[in-house]
Amino acid sequence: MVGAFRIGRIFGIEISVHWSWAIIFVLVTWTFASGILGELFPEWTSSQRWLVGALISLVFFTSILFHELSHSLVARRYGIPVSSITLFVFGGVSNLTKEPERPGQEFWIAIVGPLTSFLFAGLFGIGYVMLRSVEEGVAGVALNLAAINTAIGVFNLVPGFPLDGGRVLRSIFWARKHSILEATRTASRVGEFVAYLMMGAGGVLFFFVDPISGIWFFLIGNFLRSASAASYEQLFVETVLKGVPASAVARQDYTPISPDMTLIELLEEHVLAGHGRCFPIMAGEELLGLVTLSDMRKAPRGDWPTTTVYRVMTPAASIKSVGLRDQLPQVLVLMAENDINQVPLMEGRWLRGMIHRGDVIRYIQVRQELGTGAPAR
Ligand SMILES: [Zn+2]
């Protein structure tokens, strides 16, 4: 994640903190130093209150870290390694290296986080009860930490994917419908609905109750909305497109061009005739290179009657291509990273088809509209 700093490693999992976490740190410290601690310990100096406020922030930070670690440790028990945990303004993100294989695994990986937060809330609550009559101030701090942990647990149980509650919901849909993709789509729709509710509530709070809480609700709702849409897209690419060979979208109706054709012949016989904008230069079945309109512009117009396509083509060796074993996600990555609109499908040096960006996009749209989980063969 951009803007995150590595702070250490626990159980072999890399722990990072996003800069936005500093906002929460200051907010929690300030809340305690300026308000709560002043009431609990009226005799304290301001620096004592700020110091203890910062210490309480660290305890708060640790409870969120334990919440995230609990997800990671359960995931690891199911054989899903976790590479890193990033803590940021709205909580934490555990980077699972792959999606759970069964709904039961997903359920336990998700639910253990809020359970851990409630466990911490319970422990601080016990601390409060035990200290109440002995040391009122410390007991008061424990009570506040119990409340904070309860809030973390409850917030994460909001049934909006990708929050923990949304994952629990997805695991239930998944168990019933037997399709993780369909379950994710339903869960992310619920997530979007919840997100709009939160944004709407934020608007109402902003105008009628408390502007600051209103802004928070709106921001969290907006975050949830974009996160739930993104996680569906990502899973769609991973599950549906992963099984689809690149050849499924490759066209066979390309126009092979002989290397000794001149540019003027290419222009008149093929470009102006509407046979496309990118032509494979071939010797038999072997691909020698590609000629696009921008390749043609390399030669001055006056030279077009005498210049062969072979002279201006981009040679096969410097063309990005995919093989028969490649799948759609690789094609998408290749097109995106190199900003290209067509990729030849190769078997060694032989051309087996041409893949166009437009065809890939159409394919994805149709699959999304059908919404089925089984890859097309
Ligand atoms: Zn969680």
Side-chain angles (χ1 to χ4, degrees):
M1 193 185 277
V2 181
F5 303 91
R6 244 198 91 190
I7 55 164
R9 190 176 269 274
I10 303 176
F11 303 124
I13 301 163
E14 203 165 276
I15 313 289
S16 301
V17 178
H18 189 254
W19 68 265
S20 62
W21 215 87
I23 299 171
I24 294 294
F25 189 85
V26 171
L27 205 68
V28 173
T29 306
W30 175 76
T31 308
F32 275 90
S34 70
I36 298 167
L37 288 175
E39 284 164 28
L40 294 172
F41 304 97
E43 72 281 7
W44 280 9
T45 64
S46 135
S47 48
Q48 270 176 314
R49 279 188 270 130
W50 279 97
L51 184 70
V52 174
L55 283 176
I56 293 170
S57 272
L58 281 180
V59 176
F60 172 64
F61 173 88
T62 314
S63 1
I64 291 186
L65 185 61
F66 271 100
H67 172 119
E68 286 308 319
L69 276 175
S70 71
H71 289 308
S72 305
L73 293 181
V74 173
R76 192 190 278 187
R77 241 203 64 200
Y78 288 127
I80 303 168
V82 175
S83 52
S84 65
I85 290 176
T86 306
L87 298 165
F88 70 117
V89 69
F90 295 115
V93 179
S94 298
N95 299 317
L96 271 58
T97 49
K98 57 178 182 183
E99 291 281 340
E101 276 161 20
R102 277 189 296 280
Q105 299 182 348
E106 161 119 272
F107 178 83
W108 287 111
I109 294 170
I111 199 86
V112 73
L115 290 182
T116 305
S117 294
F118 291 139
L119 178 73
F120 271 85
L123 290 177
F124 283 118
I126 291 171
Y128 166 72
V129 171
M130 283 168 60
L131 291 168
R132 196 167 39 174
S133 51
V134 193
E135 173 51 67
E136 226 177 301
V138 179
V141 171
L143 185 64
N144 277 286
L145 286 169
I148 288 174
N149 275 287
T150 306
I152 297 171
V154 170
F155 170 67
N156 276 287
L157 278 180
V158 168
F161 195 79
L163 290 178
D164 297 339
R167 289 186 172 274
V168 169
L169 193 69
R170 177 171 86 163
S171 73
I172 294 167
F173 288 140
W174 185 5
R176 284 178 45 191
K177 293 183 175 175
H178 308 291
S179 155
I180 187 174
L181 190 73
E182 224 175 299
T184 308
R185 192 157 64 150
T186 313
S188 53
R189 280 195 184 149
V190 174
E192 250 175 292
F193 178 71
V194 172
Y196 282 119
L197 274 187
M198 288 181 90
M199 289 163 77
V204 172
L205 283 174
F206 183 86
F207 288 111
F208 299 108
V209 187
D210 169 29
I212 302 287
S213 317
I215 291 171
W216 273 110
F217 259 77
F218 189 85
L219 286 179
I220 294 171
N222 190 43
F223 160 77
L224 188 59
R225 191 188 52 79
S226 61
S228 57
S231 47
Y232 174 69
E233 295 289 318
Q234 192 195 338
L235 191 75
F236 182 85
V237 170
E238 276 169 16
T239 54
V240 175
L241 302 187
K242 207 164 107 182
V244 182
S247 57
V249 291
R251 281 172 175 256
Q252 309 300 326
D253 62 351
Y254 52 84
T255 313
I257 302 293
S258 147
D260 52 18
M261 181 178 271
T262 64
L263 291 180
I264 198 80
E265 283 168 336
L266 181 67
L267 176 75
E268 285 168 359
E269 288 169 32
H270 297 294
V271 180
L272 295 180
H275 297 166
R277 303 162 71 86
C278 173
F279 300 92
I281 310 304
M282 316 216 7
E285 279 186 282
E286 190 186 337
L287 179 74
L288 302 177
L290 291 179
V291 167
T292 60
L293 299 189
S294 53
D295 288 321
M296 293 173 75
R297 280 194 288 268
K298 285 185 221 161
R301 273 284 178 138
D303 296 347
W304 281 21
T306 50
T307 309
T308 62
V309 291
Y310 190 82
R311 292 269 306 279
V312 298
M313 73 179 187
T314 305
S318 47
I319 290 171
K320 304 283 177 197
S321 65
V322 289
L324 292 177
R325 287 168 183 275
D326 286 325
Q327 298 176 336
L328 268 198
Q330 278 124 303
V331 177
L332 281 173
V333 168
L334 199 70
M335 285 183 167
E337 280 179 356
N338 300 287
D339 193 27
I340 44 180
N341 293 317
Q342 61 279 313
V343 170
L345 175 70
M346 306 292 292
E347 183 179 7
R349 289 156 66 178
W350 295 324
L351 184 66
R352 289 293 177 241
M354 288 294 292
I355 302 171
H356 295 271
R357 189 193 284 263
D359 291 336
V360 177
I361 290 169
R362 251 190 305 283
Y363 184 89
I364 293 173
Q365 280 168 345
V366 170
R367 301 288 310 182
Q368 258 169 339
E369 273 164 33
L370 292 175
T372 49
R377 298 276 175 197

